[in-house]
Amino acid sequence: MKAAVLEGIGTSPKFRIKELPSPVIKAGQLLVRNFASSVNPVDAIMRMGKSLLNLMGTSNQIIGNDFCGRVLASKSRLFKEGDEVFGMTPVLHGGTFAEEIVVDESWAVLKPANLSYLQAGIIPLVGLTAYQSLFSIGHIRREDTVLITGCTGGVGASAVQLAKGLEAHVSGVCREGHRDQAKELGCDVVIDYERQRIPSEAKYDLIFDAAGKYTYSDMKEHLHEHARFITTRGATQHIKGMVTTAMDMLCESKMKMVNVKPRSADLLYLKQQAEGHLLLLPLAATFPLEELEQAHQLLAHGGIVGKIGITIS
Ligand SMILES: NC(=O)c1ccc[n+]([C@@H]2O[C@H](COP(=O)([O-])OP(=O)(O)OC[C@H]3O[C@@H](n4cnc5c(N)ncnc54)[C@H](OP(=O)(O)O)[C@@H]3O)[C@@H](O)[C@H]2O)c1
């Protein structure tokens, strides 16, 4: 089977397509022929981390977390050969930029019947992040008023659609050039992060910083008394934001940071929303596995709406 394995070390390792032996499965696992995946910002960190394992002699490192494909062999009572499944591997585990992958039964559910492999394969990591932030941590309720930053990114676009599924009133933060797409996703109000501020009088039942650019201090004046601020990473891109985020996490009970995990019950919710036509992510671009590096370059460049898909033929 072919896989995109990491070559080189440090900040700019490359991928090389290699033929590897088919992986072997154990009890509770599936062997999946993977047809689609996507690139995620965490790939950049995993690329650096796993490339160091190359240096230590652990070769053929494969990253990637999203998958969608067909079960080739099953040692699980939940799935049988031929089932079409989608899901994600744990972030540190990776392994999905490959034709054949080993999947624990708790990392997958049946693919949404109405979506293609590609449409389904771009959902899991960002969809689960949005679901776990809004529902498991944020306890979102029907018709809540919600603010979502990065509302046209992968996590944000998922969050907007999941919140609208509960008839929430959604304010989305994105760049001015993406205003129309934010509206199409379902945002009732759009705030341009380059030129506008959140209206001083605005208060929300839930603020989800899907972009991972804001601190609790940035948002606290906009939280209702019992509201929560949930972020994907806080403002950890710079030292000052890192310190503020760490302090807020220690001291502020209203602030939480999500740590996405594969969970089949949550995936099932995403499948149901997709089948109810309430979840469909915009596809900004698609690359074959052989052009994974170009996909990562486009993701790092930014400015896209939705997801970058990877096809594995
Ligand atoms: N903790 C976890 O478990 C977890 C899980 C998944 C993702 N994440 C993190 O969550 C973040 C978002 O992931 P993603 O997949 O959605 O990435 P993405 O698709 O690149 O989306 C990020 C979005 O944020 C927007 N943005 C940039 N600066 C902004 C600002 N100041 N205010 C509002 N929006 C802004 C970007 O818009 P433009 O490109 O138009 O500027 C883009 O639409 C990443 O940092 C990722 O590493 C964390």
Side-chain angles (χ1 to χ4, degrees), residues 273-286:
Q273 293 304 100
E275 289 176 345
H277 305 282
L278 294 170
L279 177 63
L280 178 68
L281 296 183
L283 190 58
T286 307

Side-chain angles (χ1 to χ4, degrees), residues 39-43 45 91 125-126 128-130 132-133 148-157 173-175 178 191-194 208-214 231-234 236-237 257-261 299 301-308:
V39 292
N40 286 291
V42 72
D43 291 355
I45 299 164
V91 168
L125 189 143
V126 291
L128 287 172
T129 306
Q132 290 166 13
S133 299
I148 298 172
T149 72
C151 64
T152 54
V155 176
V173 183
C174 66
R175 65 170 73 191
H178 294 162
I191 300 165
D192 164 15
Y193 71 77
E194 290 172 313
F208 177 35
D209 172 30
K213 297 275 181 180
Y214 297 87
T231 179
T232 52
R233 58 178 295 185
T236 53
Q237 293 82 1
M257 194 179 290
V258 63
N259 179 14
V260 66
K261 301 218 165 38
L299 183 68
H301 182 265
I304 60 160
V305 171
K307 292 287 298 174
I308 301 169

